[in-house]
Amino acid sequence: MENKALEPDSVSIHMEETIMCNGGSQALAQPQQQQEASKLTHLKKVENHITEAQRFSHLPKRSAVDLEFTDLSYTIQEGPCWRRRAKMKQSGLLSPGFKALLKCLSGRFCSRDLIGIMGPSGAGKSTLMNILAGYRETGMKGQILVNGKPRDLRTFRKMSCYIMQEDMLLPHLTAREAMMVSANLKLDESMDVKKELVNEILTALGLLECVHTRTSSLSGGQCKRLAIALELVNNPPVMFFDEPTSGLDSASCYQVVSLLRSLALGGRTIICTIHQPSAKLFEMFDKLYILSQGQCIYKGSVPYLIPYLKTLGLYCPTYHNPADFIIEVASGEYGDLNPVLFEAVQGGMCAIEEKKNQCDTNGPSVCATKYPRDAEHIESHTFATSTLTQFCILFKRTFITICRDQVLTHLRLMSHISIGVLIGLLYLNIGNDASKVFNNTGFLFFSMLFLMFGALMPTVLTFPLEMSVFLREHLNYWYSLKAYYLAKTMADIPFQVICPIMYCSIVYWMTEQPPEASRYLLFIALSTCTALVAQSLGLLVGAASSSLQVATFVGPVTAIPVLLFSGFFVNFDTIPNYLQWSSYVSYVRYGFEGVILSIYGMNRSELECPGKVCKFQQPEEVLQLLDVEDAKLYIDFIVLGIFFFILRLATYLVLRYKTSGRNYCAQMQISSKESTTRD
């Protein structure tokens, strides 16, 4: 505790005299100690720009926010309904089974304070923070006040930000590019002001030397600081952090907590969950809120923790980390003392100390902050920028990401070229050969098959891989869902059009299909439409899947019935009546049907017959064989277009459902893969 009084620019090293049994050896040791002491006194800490984070001249002005909650409880239903009914019958209860995660919690988090929510695993730390941040509502009871008034969730979410445990960053953007995207989306200022603010934040957070480094190459501490910097652009007065020191070394932990404390000193309310900090990090917090079994066992300042425990007969051993001691007490290592701690908090022992501490330090105005007159105007807008501006910024970001993605773009382009050459060599010069009609129809079907999988599988991974970033940015009010979805889907369409054109241009001429511009353009158009529909299906599967594993499994499975009823393996007239409806749902059917019509229809002349007799020398016979002689090309285009728009709309609705209030927290837990570390 005494280290806070030390000067920040020097290292204080306590020199203790060594007790020697031999006076002569003690005399010999003294000159050596004096030399070492003279060296140590010249040690100075390198200037740390992170400690200057509370001073930003270009940040937008925001009013301070104090958060208060009373009688806060949170319950969830246990298991499926049939299990709850079975437990209800066994226990004789009149209501289905509910589990209380939080029980009658009350507290006050003030601006200019760094608040740490502590407790053993399963105590309810993350649950409490998610409720305070507004990401959990169903099952909550109690009252949450913002500056003494009932919280309006929509307004509160605009003035707060949530930084999750995992550093969810786009790997293909540099630190400066990520910061500029955040500034462009969050601020309605001139470009010069945005650049100055970005440079100011990067300098203050110690990230200036890595501004041109992609986020995938940053260290853990740099990623954590960059995640904080992205949210700091619009100067939110309330910031929530879930385990900000998780996975970092001691030096990085100290830098991050120092940054949080500096942000708090700048007038913000900083609330973070922390599992088991070191003694050095522990004493940097201003206030503690310690939980055990969903109830509060201590709330107050850090220096008062040990004296408070002494009043309850709990003595922290000398040279023992107070944070470790209170966790051990809460975990039951010294017996079941939680009821005693619960009663002490309910009895007001912590509240007496808290009021006394406020009067002694900052007076009664610490938690009585009021909004300035212009604050209501600032918070009246949903987003800082218009939907069109958001779309343009996100389209540019997505386009850059796609261009730099080795798998989604470079590998996809190379695969279409290489497979096109391979197929062209395999089916070389068969397009006008009447004796190889079956081979040619097989080539046409395989082309649809390849283009379908080439578009389906990469896009199946689009939303699962980026869902965590999207949720973080959308929850923190960077942009609207429609702007993100339009930008994400529109940015990939040019690449999805280029790939089929490259493939079709190679195979069409190598296989010697009819050398007519109209047939060539129709072949490209139908192939591109089929690929776009497959891409839309991949986006829907990825958006609806709960994890990456589910998406990669469901994607190929959905392709099986689509191919089975496409008309190549089974003719339409031979499909049983009770399954004929399935052929109309297969979008590959319309692509394959249209390609067959463009190659063999439209009054094509007779095929060349190298032998004496060729059964399919007349193109009409090929159409009759595949049962497409009555099909219309424009119908195929219309149906493919309908499939495209329906699947795109369904994907948007799925994303909207996932980002609805009741599903926010569940999606955050799934996408950030924190199920093993959360409470």
Side-chain angles (χ1 to χ4, degrees):
M1 304 296 178
E2 298 174 0
N3 293 340
K4 289 188 177 181
L6 300 177
E7 295 181 0
D9 58 344
S10 64
V11 176
S12 176
I13 302 175
H14 298 284
M15 302 299 297
E16 299 180 355
E17 294 184 358
T18 306
I19 300 176
M20 306 293 291
C21 296
N22 189 336
S25 59
Q26 182 177 2
L28 292 174
Q30 287 180 354
Q32 184 178 359
Q33 290 179 358
Q34 293 176 356
Q35 292 178 0
E36 292 178 355
S38 63
K39 293 179 181 179
L40 292 174
T41 55
H42 292 290
L43 288 176
K44 298 287 183 181
K45 275 190 178 180
V46 178
E47 184 180 356
N48 190 355
H49 293 288
I50 294 178
T51 59
E52 304 298 323
Q54 67 269 28
R55 292 192 286 269
F56 295 108
S57 59
H58 292 87
L59 282 179
K61 303 299 181 183
R62 305 290 290 271
S63 57
V65 173
D66 301 320
L67 201 59
E68 185 177 358
F69 52 96
T70 55
D71 298 329
L72 195 63
S73 300
Y74 181 73
T75 57
I76 59 172
Q77 293 182 348
E78 287 188 299
C81 59
W82 59 87
R83 290 187 180 180
R84 296 198 302 270
R85 291 176 181 174
K87 289 182 179 180
M88 181 179 63
K89 292 180 180 179
Q90 292 175 1
S91 60
L93 298 176
L94 298 178
S95 59
F98 286 89
K99 181 179 180 181
L101 299 184
L102 301 178
K103 307 170 187 176
C104 298
L105 299 180
S106 298
R108 180 187 296 167
F109 297 155
C110 304
S111 59
R112 300 185 64 85
D113 280 346
L114 175 58
I115 301 108
I117 302 177
M118 292 181 57
S121 297
K125 303 185 298 293
S126 295
T127 302
L128 174 60
M129 194 170 67
N130 289 331
I131 290 175
L132 295 178
Y135 298 149
R136 283 188 179 179
E137 290 185 279
T138 306
M140 183 201 77
K141 295 181 180 180
Q143 189 177 29
I144 300 177
L145 303 177
V146 177
N147 286 342
K149 298 179 181 179
R151 181 183 68 177
D152 179 70
L153 186 58
R154 187 178 182 87
T155 303
F156 180 75
R157 291 262 290 277
K158 299 172 195 173
M159 65 175 65
S160 63
C161 71
Y162 192 116
I163 298 175
M164 304 172 193
Q165 181 176 342
E166 297 293 329
D167 304 315
M168 301 167 186
L169 305 170
L170 292 177
H172 302 294
L173 294 181
T174 64
R176 183 179 293 279
E177 288 172 344
M179 286 293 295
M180 288 306 302
V181 169
S182 177
N184 290 330
L185 288 170
K186 291 185 172 187
L187 301 178
D188 190 13
E189 302 287 347
S190 64
M191 187 58 64
D192 293 336
V193 173
K194 294 176 183 177
K195 290 181 179 179
E196 290 179 1
L197 175 60
V198 167
N199 290 332
E200 197 174 59
I201 295 176
L202 291 173
T203 302
L205 272 62
L207 295 171
L208 202 58
E209 69 277 3
C210 55
V211 291
H212 300 297
T213 304
R214 293 190 185 182
T215 58
S216 58
S217 302
L218 297 177
S219 65
Q222 291 172 334
C223 287
K224 182 67 66 177
R225 281 179 277 152
L226 179 59
I228 297 173
L230 293 174
E231 302 300 336
L232 195 60
V233 167
N234 63 332
N235 193 20
V238 183
M239 303 182 75
F240 296 93
F241 297 85
D242 188 13
E243 298 280 359
T245 60
S246 177
L248 302 180
D249 56 73
S250 58
S252 298
C253 288
Y254 180 77
Q255 287 183 337
V256 170
V257 177
S258 298
L259 171 59
L260 299 185
R261 180 166 175 77
S262 299
L263 293 174
L265 292 176
R268 303 168 187 86
T269 304
I270 308 297
I271 305 169
C272 65
T273 59
I274 189 160
H275 188 64
Q276 206 160 358
S278 63
K280 185 178 181 181
L281 298 181
F282 181 70
E283 64 184 14
M284 296 177 67
F285 285 86
D286 297 304
K287 296 293 179 60
L288 297 175
Y289 198 91
I290 305 177
L291 298 174
S292 179
Q293 300 175 8
Q295 292 182 270
C296 179
I297 61 175
Y298 178 76
K299 52 181 177 180
S301 61
V302 173
Y304 186 72
L305 175 62
I306 299 303
Y308 171 77
L309 294 177
K310 285 183 179 180
T311 61
L312 301 177
L314 300 173
Y315 295 90
C316 180
T318 309
Y319 304 113
H320 198 68
N321 183 2
D324 294 338
F325 178 69
I326 190 62
I327 296 298
E328 293 167 2
V329 171
S331 301
E333 293 189 15
Y334 300 95
D336 188 9
L337 300 173
N338 285 324
V340 177
L341 297 172
F342 297 156
E343 292 179 4
V345 174
Q346 294 295 331
M349 294 184 64
C350 291
I352 295 173
E353 184 278 331
E354 186 178 2
K355 292 179 181 178
K356 180 181 177 182
N357 184 65
Q358 289 177 10
C359 295
D360 292 342
T361 55
N362 296 314
S365 63
V366 176
C367 285
T369 309
K370 296 182 179 179
Y371 284 108
R373 293 182 179 178
D374 61 340
E376 296 295 334
H377 176 73
I378 294 174
E379 303 299 341
S380 62
H381 302 285
T382 304
F383 300 101
T385 54
S386 64
T387 302
L388 180 60
T389 304
Q390 295 172 18
F391 169 77
C392 296
I393 297 170
L394 294 174
F395 181 86
K396 180 180 179 181
R397 183 182 74 171
T398 306
F399 193 83
I400 292 174
T401 301
I402 292 175
C403 291
R404 294 176 181 175
D405 193 336
Q406 298 289 337
V407 176
L408 187 62
T409 306
H410 299 178
L411 186 59
R412 184 166 55 169
L413 290 172
M414 293 304 299
S415 65
H416 279 76
I417 294 175
S418 57
I419 296 298
V421 173
L422 177 63
I423 296 301
L425 293 174
L426 180 63
Y427 294 99
L428 189 65
N429 300 329
I430 67 167
N432 201 34
D433 193 337
S435 63
K436 298 179 180 179
V437 166
F438 286 111
N439 292 340
N440 197 43
T441 56
F443 150 72
L444 296 176
F445 178 77
F446 179 82
S447 295
M448 297 296 103
L449 176 67
F450 170 70
L451 293 174
M452 182 197 71
F453 275 104
L456 175 70
M457 293 311 298
T459 51
V460 161
L461 307 178
T462 298
F463 287 119
L465 290 176
E466 202 172 305
M467 184 63 72
S468 58
V469 178
F470 161 67
L471 286 175
R472 174 181 64 82
E473 296 175 347
H474 182 63
L475 295 182
N476 291 330
Y477 273 80
W478 286 34
Y479 45 73
S480 63
L481 172 61
K482 56 185 176 182
Y484 169 80
Y485 180 67
L486 287 175
K488 190 67 182 174
T489 55
M490 295 296 291
D492 193 50
I493 286 181
F495 298 93
Q496 200 56 63
V497 171
I498 291 174
C499 290
I501 291 177
M502 293 170 54
Y503 171 82
C504 293
S505 299
I506 294 172
V507 299
Y508 189 89
W509 303 110
M510 290 186 68
T511 56
E512 206 174 274
Q513 301 302 325
E516 300 176 22
S518 59
R519 297 180 187 273
Y520 168 67
L521 293 176
L522 284 173
F523 180 67
I524 289 180
L526 288 162
S527 300
T528 303
C529 289
T530 304
L532 289 175
V533 174
Q535 181 197 35
S536 303
L537 179 61
L539 292 173
L540 176 60
V541 171
S545 300
S546 58
S547 65
L548 186 63
Q549 292 80 2
V550 173
T552 53
F553 173 77
V554 174
V557 170
T558 57
I560 301 302
V562 169
L563 296 175
L564 192 60
F565 294 99
S566 61
F568 178 76
F569 298 104
V570 181
N571 288 347
F572 302 133
D573 56 352
T574 59
I575 298 177
N577 294 331
Y578 55 86
L579 287 178
Q580 283 186 355
W581 62 270
S582 301
S583 64
Y584 296 100
V585 184
S586 173
Y587 62 90
V588 177
R589 166 197 169 172
Y590 300 97
F592 179 62
E593 180 181 275
V595 167
I596 292 295
L597 288 175
S598 64
I599 297 298
Y600 291 103
M602 301 166 59
N603 300 320
R604 180 179 175 178
S605 59
E606 292 185 356
L607 304 178
E608 295 180 0
C609 182
K612 294 182 179 179
V613 179
C614 294
K615 183 177 180 180
F616 297 103
Q617 190 170 3
Q618 297 295 329
E620 291 78 7
E621 296 178 355
V622 180
L623 301 179
Q624 294 174 1
L625 174 68
L626 297 175
D627 195 22
V628 295
E629 68 275 10
D630 296 328
K632 304 295 182 182
L633 267 175
Y634 70 90
I635 297 294
D636 296 326
F637 279 107
I638 291 174
V639 174
L640 287 174
I642 292 174
F643 270 112
F644 177 81
F645 285 107
I646 289 178
L647 292 173
R648 297 280 169 156
L649 178 61
T651 305
Y652 174 78
L653 295 177
V654 168
L655 288 176
R656 187 170 182 177
Y657 170 76
K658 282 194 169 186
T659 55
S660 61
R662 65 180 62 184
N663 298 302
Y664 267 144
C665 195
Q667 289 303 318
M668 286 162 53
Q669 291 178 352
I670 292 172
S671 61
S672 60
K673 300 179 182 179
E674 296 174 3
S675 57
T676 58
T677 57
R678 283 186 178 273
D679 300 337

